[in-house]
Amino acid sequence: MNFMAKLGASLNSSQLAAATYEGGPLLIVAGAGSGKTRTLVHRVAYLVDRGVPPSAILLLTFTRKAAQEMLGRATALVGARATQVSGGTFHALANLLIRPEAHRLGYPAGFAIMDQDDAESLISRIRNDLPEVKRYKRFPQKGAILSILSQAVNKDRPLLETITDSFPHFLEFAPFIDQIGQTYRAHKLENALMDFDDLLVGLETILRQDEEVRRRLAARYDYILVDEYQDTNPIQARLTALLGRDHLRVTAVGDDAQSIYAFRGASFRNIMDFPKIFPGSRIIKLEENYRSQEPIVSLANQIMAQAREKYDKKLVAIRGTGEPPQLTPVADQSDEAGWVADRLERLMAEGLELKNMAVLFRASAHSFELEAELVRRRLPYTKYGGRKFFELAHIKDFLAFLRVCVNPADGLSLRRVLALTPGIGARGAEALAEWVGGRREQLTSLASAPVRPQALKNLVPLAALLADIAPEGTDMAHRLKGAFDFYQPRLRDIYPDDWPDRQNDLKEILRLSETQGNLRAFLDDLTLDPPNQKQTDPEKNNPGLTLSTVHSAKGLEWPVVFIISAVEGRFPPPYAVRSAAEVEEERRLMYVAVTRARDRLFILMPLGIIDYNTSQLGGPSRFLAGLPAAAEAGLRPRPNELLNSGANLEYNQRNRPLSLPARPVAVGQRVSHPVYGAGRVQTVDGPEVTIDFDHFGLKKVRLQYAKLTSL
């Protein structure tokens, strides 16, 4: 069977039309479970089969893994030529195109790339040099400052506007944050460092400042295909236009109903405005859902039917009918946890494995009571969140040795390496980094550094290592082995409890390096798209139940899904409904949650949760309350229904709670608040508690309504 015959046999009519489209700009609006990836893979294969030079096809995805998997599938369809297609992330593309043109930005071609942890460390050093940090207890931490600076870049908005809209509690510190941002940018330029945002901004700057350069770079690619277009930020959309405007052979694939990453800078407007940016665009909708059974698809359609702005589409379930989603009101979080655990055990008794089930929630704190119940019943689970593999301290330490070898001007990595030496300390590391001054000959002559004799004695082993592995042209494998042998005994001293596990992590890096021949390229790859050793694919490697935020679950699916805390004040939360645009994104988030389920869907509504602002009984989520499915589920419970179900509430004539038993807290206790996050109790004055929150400073809350959880 030739390739065109395979196309006709593999794709439905809409998918086939999209895969074989011969015109100009194309927007494929792909509903949940509609075969988006299959369509994009076949479009790549179709272009290769038609004779388009593979290297002239650019496939942009949000992870390198996604690009590799798609190109692997295209290769299976049309042969090895598809492996030559240019595939990767926006950041990897920017890194590739910027390197030869870096001088236009004031950078050398050998600049180093910082990941988030590197950037936060630099922000921390700059922040701590400000006298205001000691003067104001509520001065924002390094992570918050970096988030503000990054959001301003990714959303393409002025810093003050970003702080006003998204971080109003830091408005008084706006001038200092601006000062930190300026110093941060200057330090990066002086030390040949770029963060992820710099890559995108730098490429756009190069493309805009010189039309001849733009045409030359854009001419590399005759076809541009962008996956998950609804998740692009304004800069990524502009880069797509700058590279594609000469030939207009741009294909964007995405789903407006799954645009849920505004907090990362993604813009819903990009996919909605694609036809304006690329006049004459053809829009093809994929509406046949191959994932979920009909009642689940019907609920998803009901949710999105209420959206203010959208591409009109109606998912059609191909798998046929099944059990309707179960929308269940319960008394409170405790009842919710017990209900979910009971149902899990019942499904297991029916023969369903835990790995085929997932519990989704709007915010990580919403699963705390369920986690306690799962532990009590000895039901294994994995929760997705936390620090990633390449953000772990021992990984950062090891890579710092290698980064210094590649870029002696990387003062951040050099200070990290020096700080591992006993007797050096932060000040000593600072002085030695200044003495090296970014010069390779100084780096390899560290044994002659002007330091105290005792410190120099401690420094000798590190100096010998750098003299061995830092000279230009040193073999990559030799550098890796040298750094590993040097750091391994220190690993045992620093992490006596779990050094074997951490040592295995380092060996994983050595294994990954075996297929690489260039250390700079290897480090760039690790930074731009790190393999996630500690947070494996929940569908493939998790033997127990999956607990996940909805944001982390996007792109995944399970036979059975529970959505918990689907009530006002939690889904959506109060801080996410300040504008119509935010409400619409929360609606799309509910749609994403619902469409993760293949066969069975359970939505839990703990109606006894108190809204801490209005002190009223929480009702069903606004995205569910008005739907026919909600009416069928009887989601307008009378007060005595809640009382009979076990909620310890007192009601007045207007059905408002007069009191809710508050859990006692003590001074010094660590607690979590659903809006302010983690903090420590400072004072307890009857019903009022003063808490010093990690990111919001001192706040007074009433125990009766605060929904505090002990940490």
Side-chain angles (χ1 to χ4, degrees):
M1 184 184 293
N2 62 32
F3 175 67
M4 290 305 297
K6 289 181 183 177
L7 271 179
S10 302
L11 305 178
N12 64 40
S13 58
S14 298
Q15 293 170 337
L16 182 63
T20 59
Y21 181 64
E22 291 280 2
L26 170 66
L27 175 62
I28 304 172
V29 181
S34 63
K36 166 188 71 71
T37 302
R38 169 184 286 269
T39 304
L40 191 54
V41 165
H42 281 76
R43 179 150 182 76
V44 171
Y46 172 78
L47 294 174
V48 172
D49 184 74
R50 196 166 62 80
V52 177
S55 60
I57 302 171
L58 175 62
L59 172 64
L60 290 171
T61 62
F62 275 83
T63 66
R64 180 176 57 176
K65 179 183 176 183
Q68 290 173 337
E69 289 180 350
M70 287 188 197
L71 296 183
R73 291 170 61 178
T75 299
L77 292 170
V78 294
R81 285 176 300 158
T83 62
Q84 302 170 36
V85 171
S86 302
T89 65
F90 276 97
H91 293 94
L93 173 70
N95 181 48
L96 173 69
L97 298 183
I98 282 177
R99 290 279 177 192
E101 311 291 340
H103 62 280
R104 300 176 184 275
L105 303 172
Y107 277 88
F111 64 82
I113 303 172
M114 299 190 299
D115 63 14
Q116 180 171 334
D117 200 54
D118 293 327
E120 286 187 2
S121 296
L122 178 54
I123 291 287
S124 180
R125 287 182 50 232
I126 298 169
R127 172 189 180 278
N128 293 338
D129 285 341
L130 287 178
E132 287 77 15
V133 172
K134 296 179 181 177
R135 192 184 314 163
Y136 299 103
K137 186 176 181 181
R138 291 181 55 250
F139 199 96
Q141 299 295 317
K142 60 183 181 181
I145 296 172
L146 183 62
S147 293
I148 293 169
L149 298 176
S150 181
Q151 192 171 124
V153 172
N154 283 290
K155 291 190 174 182
D156 199 18
R157 303 174 71 190
L159 182 66
L160 183 59
E161 186 178 310
T162 299
I163 297 174
T164 302
D165 287 353
S166 301
F167 304 89
H169 48 292
F170 290 145
L171 258 178
E172 63 182 299
F173 304 111
F176 306 122
I177 296 172
D178 183 42
Q179 182 181 342
I180 291 171
Q182 294 180 38
T183 306
Y184 175 62
R185 289 186 288 274
H187 183 97
K188 288 186 292 182
L189 192 60
E190 291 170 5
N191 290 271
L193 298 169
M194 282 195 184
D195 60 23
F196 283 12
D197 297 335
D198 294 328
L199 291 172
L200 299 185
V201 172
L203 178 57
E204 183 182 14
T205 300
I206 290 171
L207 295 176
R208 287 194 182 281
Q209 71 183 6
D210 192 314
E211 178 62 14
E212 187 278 327
V213 173
R214 187 200 66 78
R215 287 184 178 275
R216 171 164 50 83
L217 295 179
R220 292 187 178 197
Y221 308 110
D222 294 332
Y223 285 84
I224 299 174
L225 300 89
V226 186
D227 189 23
E228 303 285 10
Y229 195 73
Q230 79 282 348
D231 294 337
T232 55
N233 63 35
I235 301 175
Q236 290 165 331
R238 292 199 298 268
L239 288 175
T240 303
L242 286 166
L243 291 172
R245 74 185 186 197
D246 295 337
H247 54 67
L248 295 179
R249 289 186 288 271
V250 176
T251 298
V253 184
D255 184 6
D256 55 297
Q258 296 187 68
S259 179
I260 60 172
Y261 293 123
F263 68 96
R264 295 182 186 169
S267 173
F268 175 70
R269 296 256 45 95
N270 288 351
I271 193 167
M272 300 307 298
D273 294 342
F274 185 89
K276 298 177 184 176
I277 298 170
F278 294 98
S281 296
R282 170 83 182 276
I283 300 176
I284 297 177
K285 300 173 186 175
L286 307 184
E287 299 175 291
E288 295 179 87
N289 179 285
Y290 295 89
R291 176 187 300 156
S292 307
Q293 293 183 332
E294 194 280 330
I296 296 172
V297 170
S298 176
L299 177 60
N301 284 333
Q302 291 177 38
I303 291 170
M304 286 310 300
Q306 305 172 78
R308 294 189 175 198
E309 185 178 11
K310 60 182 181 296
Y311 285 104
D312 287 323
K313 61 182 181 298
K314 186 173 183 179
L315 296 180
V316 178
I318 300 302
R319 293 184 56 213
T321 190
E323 293 193 32
Q326 185 168 334
L327 282 64
T328 303
V330 293
D332 53 25
Q333 301 98 306
S334 179
D335 272 11
E336 178 179 67
W339 194 98
V340 171
D342 286 343
R343 184 52 60 100
L344 289 170
E345 291 180 335
R346 189 186 309 174
L347 291 168
M348 291 169 63
E350 295 172 4
L352 192 65
E353 294 182 85
L354 275 178
K355 68 179 182 180
N356 291 320
M357 296 182 270
V359 179
L360 307 182
F361 31 85
R362 174 59 180 83
S364 181
H366 297 172
S367 71
F368 287 170
E369 294 214 28
L370 175 59
E371 290 178 62
E373 185 66 17
L374 294 174
V375 170
R376 189 179 70 79
R377 301 194 189 200
R378 299 184 179 179
L379 295 176
Y381 70 90
T382 300
K383 185 175 181 179
Y384 289 88
R387 297 183 73 82
K388 296 179 180 179
F389 181 50
F390 279 80
E391 295 173 356
L392 298 171
H394 61 294
I395 303 297
K396 301 287 295 180
D397 288 346
F398 179 64
L399 293 181
F401 291 100
L402 305 176
R403 294 187 191 283
V404 168
C405 292
V406 169
N407 178 19
D410 185 352
L412 203 64
S413 293
L414 179 57
R415 290 181 186 88
R416 188 177 192 107
V417 166
L418 290 166
L420 294 171
T421 303
I424 296 299
R427 290 185 180 179
E430 185 74 31
L432 283 168
E434 291 181 6
W435 179 80
V436 170
R439 293 167 291 177
R440 192 176 296 275
E441 63 273 15
Q442 293 287 90
L443 184 66
T444 57
S445 304
L446 202 60
S448 61
V451 297
R452 298 189 309 275
Q454 183 57 45
L456 184 60
K457 179 181 177 182
N458 294 335
L459 196 62
V460 166
L462 175 61
L465 171 71
L466 293 177
D468 180 38
I469 69 173
E472 204 159 11
T474 304
D475 178 70
M476 174 179 169
H478 181 74
R479 283 174 162 171
L480 282 155
K481 185 178 185 305
F484 179 82
D485 291 344
F486 179 85
Y487 184 59
Q488 187 178 13
R490 287 155 182 79
L491 190 70
R492 301 186 185 198
D493 294 336
I494 301 171
Y495 306 105
D497 292 339
D498 60 353
W499 68 264
D501 288 340
R502 294 176 186 262
Q503 179 177 269
N504 288 334
D505 291 342
L506 301 185
K507 289 179 178 178
E508 175 66 11
I509 297 177
L510 298 182
R511 186 192 66 78
L512 291 170
S513 72
E514 291 173 357
T515 59
Q516 297 282 340
N518 181 280
L519 182 57
R520 186 191 309 280
F522 178 59
L523 293 173
D524 285 352
D525 283 347
L526 292 182
T527 305
L528 290 169
D529 194 9
N532 205 343
Q533 173 84 350
K534 293 297 185 185
Q535 222 172 308
T536 53
D537 187 337
E539 285 189 306
K540 296 179 180 178
N541 301 305
N542 174 18
L545 176 72
T546 293
L547 303 184
S548 176
T549 62
V550 182
H551 285 103
S552 296
K554 184 175 174 291
L556 303 175
E557 59 186 70
W558 294 267
V560 176
V561 169
F562 298 80
I563 302 172
I564 62 173
S565 293
V567 292
E568 283 296 301
R570 287 206 156 189
F571 201 156
Y575 58 81
V577 291
R578 296 167 298 183
S579 68
E582 288 178 323
V583 171
E584 290 305 294
E585 175 146 332
E586 291 295 310
R587 182 189 312 283
R588 297 192 291 270
L589 195 61
M590 181 65 78
Y591 170 87
V592 168
V594 165
T595 54
R596 298 312 93 197
R598 291 203 291 260
D599 303 324
R600 303 188 69 179
L601 175 63
F602 302 94
I603 302 179
L604 280 297
M605 303 180 179
L607 299 176
I609 292 179
I610 301 299
D611 183 300
Y612 76 100
N613 278 325
T614 65
S615 303
Q616 292 186 10
L617 188 67
S621 169
R622 68 186 71 187
F623 310 125
L624 301 169
L627 303 182
E632 292 170 9
L635 288 180
R636 293 177 178 81
R638 295 182 297 278
N640 57 351
E641 288 182 319
L642 279 176
L643 290 172
N644 292 338
S645 68
N648 186 13
L649 297 169
E650 296 174 22
Y651 287 82
N652 61 13
Q653 291 181 343
R654 300 181 63 186
N655 294 338
R656 298 192 178 204
L658 298 176
S659 64
L660 177 71
R663 297 179 180 177
V665 296
V667 173
Q669 183 179 353
R670 289 281 290 173
V671 295
S672 177
H673 186 279
V675 174
Y676 299 127
R680 190 175 299 279
V681 176
Q682 301 296 306
T683 64
V684 179
D685 183 12
E688 287 193 344
V689 180
T690 301
I691 302 172
D692 186 3
F693 290 102
D694 295 351
H695 297 295
F696 291 85
L698 291 175
K699 298 283 184 184
K700 278 189 176 182
V701 300
R702 292 185 67 85
L703 271 178
Q704 188 175 3
Y705 308 125
K707 298 182 289 187
L708 297 178
T709 305
S710 180
L711 294 180

